[in-house]
Amino acid sequence: MTARTWSEFPQVGEPLPAGDGVYESPRGQRYIELPETGRGALLAWIAGPRRVVRSPVGREDRPPVVTTVTTGEGETERSESPRTVVDQEEIDAAVDEYLTEADLPPRPRGWRWFLALPPSCSGPEDFHRSVAALLRDKPADRRPADLRKVLENDGRDLLAPA
């Protein structure tokens, strides 16, 4: 069963550490941070509040903005800059637009979202490979609402509430 509102997702008592690894709770549950994308939000919604927790976000938790430019000589230049309020507003707006297209409510701002790692997955990379495998046979241009149905129907083992 999926959540009816984002407020049903529990908040952890203390902020979870930043990083792209696995966080282990005091009770031994292993969590991975979901990406700050429409698909990440969709995965959170489908997994539901029994499998996903949220943690307040601090400015230091946000990754920098990475810009890659290819020069006229074919060289690649990469630069990083701190994420601005405007950058974050654009990211949040894109996530909300994706959720709207999936027939879901906008996600509340100011949270990081963590999914209880399924026992079949060893870490974030393994989990995201499993999600990609679920969607492999699906056209790349599928609407978010269509992807939602595929994940709800075919992703039960991966995303079903514990």
Side-chain angles (χ1 to χ4, degrees):
M1 181 169 153
T2 58
R4 294 174 195 245
T5 68
W6 289 102
S7 64
E8 293 177 41
F9 288 79
Q11 177 182 349
V12 294
E14 59 191 53
L16 298 180
D20 56 1
V22 176
Y23 162 76
E24 189 164 334
S25 75
R27 294 184 180 168
Q29 177 62 58
R30 299 171 68 220
Y31 289 91
I32 59 169
E33 187 166 4
L34 291 169
E36 214 172 347
T37 63
R39 184 175 288 179
L42 179 61
L43 292 169
W45 183 271
I46 293 168
R50 292 183 59 197
R51 291 278 309 279
V52 175
V53 297
R54 56 189 169 138
S55 176
V57 69
R59 184 137 178 92
E60 65 282 354
D61 294 329
R62 299 288 190 198
V65 173
V66 177
T67 305
T68 305
V69 177
T70 303
T71 65
E73 294 84 41
E75 294 179 19
T76 302
E77 296 176 2
R78 182 179 186 271
S79 64
E80 290 186 8
S81 59
R83 189 181 294 187
T84 67
V85 171
V86 172
D87 293 331
Q88 189 60 49
E89 287 172 359
E90 290 174 358
I91 291 167
D92 289 335
V95 169
D96 287 348
E97 181 179 337
Y98 189 95
L99 290 171
T100 298
E101 291 176 13
D103 300 321
L104 295 173
R107 189 175 67 165
R109 310 283 164 93
W111 298 97
R112 294 166 57 222
W113 302 84
F114 293 82
L115 172 79
L117 189 63
S120 62
C121 298
S122 62
E125 297 83 15
D126 192 25
F127 171 76
H128 291 293
R129 271 193 301 273
S130 297
V131 170
L134 281 173
L135 302 175
R136 184 169 295 131
D137 298 337
K138 312 305 180 238
D141 63 346
R142 288 193 88 157
R143 293 180 40 246
D146 296 332
L147 291 177
R148 175 184 173 190
K149 288 176 188 167
V150 170
L151 291 169
E152 286 175 337
N153 293 329
D154 299 340
R156 287 189 185 114
D157 293 338
L158 196 60
L159 298 168

